[in-house]
């Protein structure tokens, strides 16, 4: 702690931190890394929102909850959220063509709004027109149409950059008759209470840099993330339609080659696909479970649907410098905050194994997938450790604990141990007759696989008087690890 007191003016907000989470490793990681990742050697922040509550918010150095910083490509997420909002309201459609809005593009191949939003438009990634603060957004886009050559055929490649979203921003202005800044304030900032967010972080201008010119505070941006995390809802109001949010976060690149990504050479990220304004960072069965919009200044927001969290790593250093710490930070968050799903359980139901989930199952034996075994029940044919993976509709996955099961032929057990249950039906005592003296334990299950009773077999009888009338399964465990199952009736 001495090091922290000496070098950092550390501001900690603890009132909202959930007691069940120990965030000490996160604080320690950033504290240990601050000299490398911190702006001016000491400044940064980190926030975690779960559901709609802040569970971690901390600042290092002189930064605080009012600190405003440029976020570079972190701007793409809120910008495309605004475009999607306009699509919701009928001002625009993903199939709209640039040529229908902008005569300056008449000499170019047909480009759609969809292609502008997912970086497959054929336009180059960068242009001096998008960073010229002395002109308007209209002038910049007209110059792009008239003076900027295409880089590839629209819809055939993915090439990341800012030009295509600049054009999309101008289409939004034409469709609504409002300036981009006014649109953002009216449709996004005011409904979310983002009072310290705008598009002039890189200098006063009306050539709003749609894909990279936003400035914001950490609490402000967390409100946008909270809205997206909750599928468009914020403070009990639907800001963006829930289906629109799902479309925005899903892969929209249609499998085209990734020929221009800032993550080239990064084995963890170079194959990330893209939605509308966000990187699809983790996907299961076509469902996006993690996505974000990292910027060149290191600013890193992300949403983790399986943990129901949104995070903001609020920094101002080059991306390559902060990336190792960012990777460690993500790993720590995933270790500290568990997946929100209830872990599946396995029970024995007759001669079958049963998952606690009706759907979304995948069975494994000794950690090897059992192809085609996706039902709630499985008929085990081999002895070993069975487990089941449950996948939710959102694509989140969680494994059960191992269930050790020994498959033995009932006839062989009967012949070998000469096991007999009587009386059957039983009213008070179920007697067990066997020539094998190695019986050790028993378990009794009902018809849906719930264990109702268990104990040691000190005598070869079980008291069943407390069970309701019905059909039950009894499992006998032998000292040599073998098991035997049989049904009996409680009268």
């Amino acid at each position: 702690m001495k090091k922290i007191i000496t070098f950092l003016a550390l501001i900690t907000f603890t009132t909202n931190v959930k007691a069940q989470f120990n965030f000490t490793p996160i604080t320690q990681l950033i504290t240990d890394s601050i000299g490398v990742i911190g702006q001016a050697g000491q400044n940064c922040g980190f926030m975690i929102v779960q559901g709609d509550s802040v569970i971690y918010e901390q600042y290092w150095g002189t930064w605080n909850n009012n600190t405003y910083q440029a976020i570079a490509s972190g701007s793409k997420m809120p910008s495309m959220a605004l475009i999607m909002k306009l699509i919701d309201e009928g001002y625009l459609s993903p199939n709209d063509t640039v040529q229908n809005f902008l005569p300056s593009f008449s000499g170019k191949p047909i480009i759609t709004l969809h292609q502008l939003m997912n970086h497959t438009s054929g336009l180059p990634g960068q242009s001096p027109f998008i960073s010229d603060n002395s002109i308007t957004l209209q002038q910049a886009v007209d110059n792009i149409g008239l003076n900027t050559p295409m880089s590839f055929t629209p819809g055939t490649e993915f090439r990341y950059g800012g030009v295509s979203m600049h054009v999309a921003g101008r289409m939004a202005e034409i469709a609504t008759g409002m300036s981009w800044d006014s649109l953002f304030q009216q449709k996004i900032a005011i409904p979310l209470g983002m009072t310290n967010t705008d598009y002039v972080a890189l200098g006063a201008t009306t050539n709003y840099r749609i894909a990279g010119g936003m400035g914001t505070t950490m609490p402000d941006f967390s409100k946008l993330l909270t809205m997206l995390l909750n599928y468009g809802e914020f403070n009990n109001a639907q800001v963006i339609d829930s289906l629109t949010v799902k479309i925005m976060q899903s892969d929209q690149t249609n499998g085209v080659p990734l020929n221009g990504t800032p993550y080239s050479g990064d084995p963890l990220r170079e194959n990330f696909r893209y939605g509308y304004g966000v990187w699809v960072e983790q996907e299961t069965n076509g469902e996006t479970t993690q996505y974000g919009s990292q910027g060149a200044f290191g600013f890193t927001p992300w949403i983790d649907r399986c943990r129901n969290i949104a995070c903001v790593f609020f920094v101002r250093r080059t991306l390559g410098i902060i990336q190792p710490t960012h990777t460690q930070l993500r790993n720590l968050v995933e270790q500290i905050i568990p997946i929100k799903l209830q872990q599946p359980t396995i029970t024995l139901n007759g001669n079958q194994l049963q998952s606690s989930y009706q759907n979304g199952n995948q069975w494994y034996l000794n950690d090897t997938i059992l192809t085609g075994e996706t039902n709630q029940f499985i008929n085990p044919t081999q002895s070993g450790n069975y487990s089941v993976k449950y996948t939710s509709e959102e694509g989140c996955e969680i494994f059960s604990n191992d269930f050790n099961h020994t498959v033995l032929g009932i006839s062989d057990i009967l012949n070998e141990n000469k096991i007999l249950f009587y009386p059957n039906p039983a009213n008070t005592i179920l007697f067990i007759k066997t020539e094998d003296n190695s019986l050790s334990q028993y378990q009794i299950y009902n018809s849906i696989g719930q264990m109702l009773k268990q104990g040691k077999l000190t005598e070869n009888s079980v008291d069943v008087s407390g069970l309701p009338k019905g059909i039950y399964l009894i499992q006998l465990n032998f000292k040599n690890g073998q098991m035997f199952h049989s049904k009996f009736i409680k009268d």
Side-chain angles (χ1 to χ4, degrees):
M1 286 297 294
K2 184 177 180 181
K3 178 181 177 183
I4 301 174
I5 294 170
T6 302
F7 294 103
L8 301 176
L10 188 60
I11 303 174
T12 309
F13 294 82
T14 59
T15 56
N16 291 323
V17 176
K18 301 294 186 183
Q20 67 265 35
F21 301 132
N22 177 15
F23 292 122
T24 302
I26 287 176
T27 303
Q28 193 62 55
L29 170 66
I30 299 178
T31 298
D32 292 344
S33 307
I34 194 67
V36 174
I37 65 169
Q39 194 268 344
Q42 62 178 353
N43 298 311
C44 77
F46 185 58
M47 176 182 281
I48 306 173
V49 176
Q50 187 169 57
D52 56 5
S53 300
V54 176
I55 61 172
Y56 182 92
E57 181 180 6
Q58 193 152 304
Y59 302 89
W60 285 256
T62 60
W63 284 11
N64 56 45
N65 59 354
N66 291 314
T67 298
Y68 171 97
Q69 289 293 324
I71 63 173
S73 285
S75 310
K76 291 179 172 64
M77 178 187 285
S79 293
M80 293 306 99
L82 173 55
I83 295 289
M84 296 303 285
K85 172 71 171 176
L86 297 179
I87 291 173
D88 268 354
E89 295 180 347
Y91 289 103
L92 293 168
S93 164
N95 297 321
D96 283 340
T97 65
V98 175
Q99 283 78 4
N100 281 343
F101 285 77
L102 298 162
S104 59
F105 281 76
S106 60
K108 286 181 164 48
I110 297 298
I111 303 169
T112 66
L113 180 62
H114 163 77
Q115 292 165 343
L116 294 175
M117 292 193 292
N118 69 4
H119 303 295
T120 64
S121 68
L123 294 169
Q126 300 301 325
S127 164
F129 298 119
I130 68 174
S131 56
D132 186 344
N133 289 343
S134 67
I135 60 177
T136 65
L137 180 59
Q138 176 183 349
Q139 291 171 324
V141 172
D142 283 345
N143 274 315
I144 291 169
L146 294 171
N147 302 309
T148 302
M150 300 292 289
S151 293
F152 57 94
T153 302
T156 62
E157 298 179 23
F158 172 91
R159 293 194 190 181
Y160 187 73
V163 174
S164 62
M165 289 185 179
H166 218 69
V167 177
R170 177 58 188 154
M171 289 174 66
E173 288 190 332
I174 294 170
T176 62
M178 299 174 62
S179 71
W180 177 263
D181 184 63
S182 296
L183 273 173
F184 182 78
Q185 293 301 319
Q186 181 184 106
K187 303 293 186 181
I188 302 294
I190 292 174
L192 299 182
M194 298 173 70
T195 57
N196 295 305
T197 300
D198 55 39
Y199 281 83
V200 293
L202 301 179
T205 185
T206 56
N207 183 19
Y208 304 109
R209 195 161 180 170
I210 311 300
M214 177 175 278
T216 189
T217 67
M218 191 163 72
D220 250 25
F221 203 90
S222 73
K223 295 173 183 177
L224 175 84
L225 291 176
T226 300
M227 181 269 291
L228 294 175
L229 177 65
N230 293 312
Y231 290 105
E233 183 178 312
F234 188 82
N235 282 347
N236 299 315
Q238 199 70 37
V239 179
I240 301 178
D241 183 75
S242 59
L243 179 59
T244 301
V245 175
K246 291 180 181 179
I247 293 170
M248 179 180 171
Q249 72 182 32
S250 62
D251 179 10
Q252 297 293 335
T253 61
N254 303 315
V256 299
L258 302 173
N259 291 334
T261 166
Y263 296 128
S264 179
D266 182 341
L268 293 176
R269 302 170 179 88
E270 62 185 355
N271 294 316
F272 281 173
R273 289 282 165 173
Y274 205 79
Y276 290 147
V278 298
W279 293 99
V280 178
E281 300 174 348
Q282 195 171 100
E283 186 182 49
T284 303
N285 298 334
E287 296 292 335
T288 300
T289 56
Q290 290 188 22
Y291 64 96
S293 184
Q294 198 170 36
F297 301 154
F299 175 83
T300 306
W302 75 92
I303 286 174
D304 184 335
R305 294 217 167 276
C306 296
R307 290 169 175 81
N308 194 32
I309 59 172
C311 304
V312 188
F313 191 22
F314 198 54
V315 292
R316 184 72 184 268
R317 295 299 297 272
T318 58
L319 188 58
I321 288 176
I322 69 99
Q323 206 68 294
T325 302
H326 162 234
T327 300
Q328 294 178 65
L329 183 60
R330 293 283 282 263
N331 290 336
L332 278 178
V333 169
E334 292 178 11
Q335 292 169 24
I336 292 169
I337 303 176
I339 290 175
K340 65 181 179 181
L341 297 173
Q342 184 175 355
Q343 186 180 33
T345 57
I346 298 174
T347 53
L348 186 65
N349 189 349
N351 292 322
Q352 295 181 310
L353 299 181
Q354 177 182 356
S355 167
S356 53
Y357 283 100
Q358 291 185 347
N359 303 299
N361 297 294
Q362 174 60 63
W363 289 89
Y364 290 75
L365 174 61
N366 298 327
D367 297 326
T368 299
I369 192 170
L370 294 173
T371 304
E373 295 289 357
T374 58
N375 295 322
Q376 185 177 15
F377 294 88
I378 186 173
N379 293 308
T381 58
Q382 302 178 54
S383 299
N385 290 320
Y386 284 82
S387 59
V388 66
K389 178 179 71 176
Y390 169 69
T391 303
S392 72
E393 292 182 357
E394 291 182 327
C396 303
E397 299 176 334
I398 188 168
F399 275 88
S400 70
N401 293 325
D402 285 345
F403 186 97
N404 184 267
H405 183 70
T406 302
V407 177
L408 296 172
I410 291 179
S411 60
D412 293 338
I413 295 288
L414 286 169
N415 291 335
E416 178 183 346
N417 299 295
K418 296 183 175 59
I419 299 175
L420 176 66
F421 294 92
Y422 66 94
N424 194 1
N427 182 265
T428 54
I429 303 295
L430 180 68
F431 294 95
I432 305 165
K433 182 178 180 181
T434 177
E435 295 180 1
D436 191 326
N437 293 321
S438 66
L439 285 174
S440 62
Q441 292 181 321
Y442 73 91
Q443 293 90 35
I444 294 177
Y445 299 87
N446 63 15
S447 60
I448 61 172
Q450 295 173 320
M451 188 173 68
L452 303 180
K453 189 177 179 67
Q454 64 178 332
K456 293 182 179 180
L457 278 166
T458 54
E459 298 181 2
N460 286 358
S461 64
V462 176
D463 183 353
V464 296
S465 61
L467 298 176
K469 292 182 179 181
I471 299 174
Y472 296 89
L473 177 82
I474 185 168
Q475 173 179 301
L476 301 182
N477 303 308
F478 294 84
K479 292 178 182 177
N480 62 5
Q482 291 182 327
M483 291 185 291
F484 170 66
H485 312 109
S486 181
K487 290 182 180 179
F488 73 92
I489 299 173
K490 168 62 169 62
D491 195 4

